[in-house]
Amino acid sequence: MGGDIKDQLGRVVDHSLDAVMPAVILVNPQLGQNIGAACRAMLNFGLTELRLVKPRDGWPNPDANAMAAGAVALIETAKVFETTAEAVADLKYVLAATARRRELEVPVIGTGEVGAQLHAFARDDVPTGILFGPEKAGLTNEDVVLADAILTYPINPAFQSLNLAQAVNIFAYIWKSAEGTAPPQYFQKEISEAASREDLVRMFEHLEAELDAAGYFYPEAKTDLMKQNIRAPFVRAKMTEQEVRTMRGIIKAIAKGRGKARAIKDKEL
Amino acid sequence: MGGDIKDQLGRVVDHSLDAVMPAVILVNPQLGQNIGAACRAMLNFGLTELRLVKPRDGWPNPDANAMAAGAVALIETAKVFETTAEAVADLKYVLAATARRRELEVPVIGTGEVGAQLHAFARDDVPTGILFGPEKAGLTNEDVVLADAILTYPINPAFQSLNLAQAVNIFAYIWKSAEGTAPPQYFQKEISEAASREDLVRMFEHLEAELDAAGYFYPEAKTDLMKQNIRAPFVRAKMTEQEVRTMRGIIKAIAKGRGKARAIKDKEL
């Protein structure tokens, strides 16, 4: 953020503005009112970085301003993206706020530990963010596999329909109330060396393009699920930049030598 | 709640319905939308008992129904009261959700411990509740002195304007996420012996009537503050029913013997 923006926000936020803090990323939000209410809740607990992926009703949206109350500065500085992948490109630790997905191998983090973990990242200047899905449908699997972990709330199983702004509100509260707490035991400092999400996504696209060319994705109906299952372990691995470069070299090498490799296989096995 | 209501709610809540749980008490709420959104947030985290003190726009309110989504059962079973004192009459432990009031001697409880404490009360069948004030003005001091403790959120000091439904949402989350946690060290089990809030309020009214008759409240502009300062230590003391009876006997005795007491004082001092 530039100097002007910081000055502008400086009037309504405390000193925590200067620190790295989680970006709140609303994916395809439907109602401007919810975006505005989310801004207000964010600022109540000191969060100021809002990102929007293709808001349904376009942007800017007067409904959002109306509900943001004193938090319009967040609306004015919100960044808008075309895709979720672009919205998380510069981040090194991404959460997905959603119920657990048993079909995806994405780890689940609890509300009791996530706050301390995010503050530990913030202290190390590791950029983080959390994805919230659209009101009706929630996050797609494609969005969720961009995340290092799923954050689930201890919600009433008989009434799980949580309003978008309320979900952001609880996250913001969790963030603020964990201020100054010790990082969880298993916290891995090495994540500060991690590749950016952008590098990872490029690696995925490279790998998937090669697999596609090789006729790997069959049947077509299962392509999305297959891609998600391929992506998940790489995200989970918290690969370093060097590892991503190595991996891309491997993909390239295999793809280029494909004819040759098949010849070897045919001969030796 | 009668059998029918329980059946009706039984469809949308889990088994925790059968246990005692904190009542959410909205004092003079202004917007039906906020009442409805509060209901939805309550049910998201398993809270089902809503009480309303003189809602500004009357009751029932179609705006509330519209925002409650699948939680309309809470609206239909909400209880409406004329005064805050009546709304907390049957409760034995009452919280006030508000910023700290330095002018009142009401203890402050933190968000980190309140959940465990309320669950401990619930396990002992002690009825509890939490007061939320109207959107603009918040709780009056008169409301706050009916509470055993003030609950404050770790809010951004530079932007404290928390939406009513968001405040309820965070409380509901705190309640649910503390499920199964151990009670705080200082938890006093004796509170289950405590007098009901109704008995306490009657004692206050008795005491204040006698003080009024004695010309104690002077100047009139300070009457409210004087009353609040008198009430606070009695609430804090968590008096038993027997202690309240004793106290009322004391008030009565002094009042009846006023002339005599004054005579003694005049003579002996």
Side-chain angles (χ1 to χ4, degrees), chain A residues 138-184:
Chain A
L139 292 170
T140 64
N141 278 355
E142 199 185 339
D143 295 330
V144 174
V145 289
L146 285 169
D148 294 272
I150 283 172
L151 176 66
T152 54
Y153 296 154
I155 211 145
N156 177 357
F159 186 64
Q160 306 202 31
S161 162
L162 190 67
N163 168 271
L164 174 58
Q166 303 280 39
V168 172
N169 182 41
I170 286 169
F171 173 74
Y173 164 76
I174 289 171
W175 159 259
K176 183 71 177 173
S177 61
E179 207 168 49
T181 53

Side-chain angles (χ1 to χ4, degrees), chain B residues 22-41:
Chain B
V24 169
I25 305 151
L26 306 185
V27 181
N28 309 134
Q30 301 177 270
L31 296 171
Q33 287 93 332
N34 282 337
I35 302 173
C39 286
R40 180 172 171 183

Side-chain angles (χ1 to χ4, degrees), chain B residues 51-209:
Chain B
R51 302 180 180 194
L52 302 170
V53 180
K54 272 202 158 182
R56 186 193 67 180
D57 298 337
W59 195 255
N61 180 337
D63 288 343
N65 289 60
M67 283 295 281
V72 278
L74 271 69
I75 287 189
E76 288 161 10
T77 59
K79 293 176 196 146
V80 183
F81 299 87
E82 275 298 301
T83 66
T84 307
E86 289 168 55
V88 300
D90 62 321
L91 304 181
K92 291 198 169 182
Y93 183 78
V94 178
L95 296 168
T98 182
R100 188 175 169 185
R101 308 279 171 108
R102 289 184 193 279
E103 73 275 23
L104 299 178
E105 292 290 337
V106 179
V108 173
I109 190 166
T111 49
E113 53 197 358
V114 70
Q117 175 144 35
L118 289 171
H119 279 284
F121 286 142
R123 281 192 291 273
D124 288 344
D125 282 326
V126 176
T128 61
I130 179 164
L131 300 165
F132 292 89
E135 287 87 339
K136 273 208 179 153
L139 292 170
T140 64
N141 278 356
E142 199 186 339
D143 295 329
V144 174
V145 289
L146 286 169
D148 294 272
I150 284 173
L151 176 66
T152 54
Y153 296 154
I155 210 145
N156 177 358
F159 186 63
Q160 306 202 32
S161 161
L162 190 67
N163 167 270
L164 174 57
Q166 302 282 38
V168 172
N169 182 41
I170 286 169
F171 173 75
Y173 164 77
I174 290 171
W175 159 259
K176 182 72 178 172
S177 61
E179 207 169 48
T181 53
Q185 290 272 321
Y186 63 82
F187 172 66
Q188 294 167 304
K189 220 184 144 153
E190 312 89 73
I191 203 158
S192 56
E193 311 286 305
S196 73
R197 208 52 37 123
E198 187 174 20
D199 287 345
L200 262 189
V201 169
R202 281 195 188 143
M203 182 188 89
F204 292 148
E205 287 168 353
H206 181 185
L207 176 60
E208 287 158 9

Side-chain angles (χ1 to χ4, degrees), chain A residues 8-259:
Chain A
Q8 184 189 1
L9 287 173
R11 275 180 271 131
V12 283
V13 295
D14 61 17
H15 289 299
S16 63
L17 177 67
D18 299 323
V20 167
M21 68 178 74
V24 169
I25 306 151
L26 307 185
V27 180
N28 309 135
Q30 300 177 271
L31 296 172
Q33 288 92 331
N34 282 336
I35 302 172
C39 286
R40 181 171 171 183
M42 285 171 64
L43 192 55
N44 280 145
F45 296 108
L47 290 177
T48 55
E49 193 178 344
L50 176 67
R51 301 182 181 193
L52 302 171
V53 180
K54 271 202 158 181
R56 186 192 66 181
D57 298 337
W59 195 254
N61 180 336
D63 288 344
N65 289 59
M67 283 295 281
V72 279
L74 271 70
I75 287 189
E76 288 161 10
T77 59
K79 293 177 196 144
V80 183
F81 299 87
E82 275 298 300
T83 66
T84 306
E86 288 168 56
V88 300
D90 61 322
L91 304 181
K92 292 199 169 181
Y93 183 78
V94 178
L95 295 169
T98 182
R100 188 176 168 184
R101 308 278 170 109
R102 290 184 193 278
E103 72 276 22
L104 299 177
E105 291 291 337
V106 179
V108 173
I109 191 167
T111 49
E113 52 197 358
V114 70
Q117 175 144 37
L118 290 170
H119 279 283
F121 286 143
R123 280 192 292 272
D124 288 345
D125 281 327
V126 176
T128 61
I130 179 164
L131 299 166
F132 292 90
E135 287 86 339
K136 273 209 178 151
L139 292 170
T140 64
N141 278 355
E142 199 185 339
D143 295 330
V144 174
V145 289
L146 285 169
D148 294 272
I150 283 172
L151 176 66
T152 54
Y153 296 154
I155 211 145
N156 177 357
F159 186 64
Q160 306 202 31
S161 162
L162 190 67
N163 168 271
L164 174 58
Q166 303 280 39
V168 172
N169 182 41
I170 286 169
F171 173 74
Y173 164 76
I174 289 171
W175 159 259
K176 183 71 177 173
S177 61
E179 207 168 49
T181 53
Q185 291 271 321
Y186 62 83
F187 173 65
Q188 295 168 304
K189 222 187 140 145
E190 312 92 71
I191 203 159
S192 56
E193 311 286 305
S196 73
R197 209 51 37 124
E198 187 173 21
D199 288 343
L200 262 189
V201 169
R202 281 194 188 144
M203 183 189 89
F204 293 149
E205 287 168 353
H206 181 185
L207 176 61
E208 287 158 9
E210 292 297 354
L211 288 171
D212 204 23
Y216 173 87
F217 292 116
Y218 181 86
E220 211 187 309
K222 288 204 171 171
T223 301
D224 283 350
L225 187 60
M226 291 170 85
K227 284 184 183 174
Q228 287 148 17
N229 287 334
I230 291 167
R231 287 181 175 207
F234 290 108
V235 175
R236 228 164 47 228
K238 306 194 192 313
M239 296 171 78
T240 64
E241 283 176 28
Q242 181 53 53
E243 287 167 344
V244 169
R245 275 194 299 273
T246 303
M247 192 65 196
R248 294 195 65 167
I250 289 171
I251 298 165
K252 207 167 166 183
I254 297 179
K256 276 201 171 172
R258 193 180 285 137

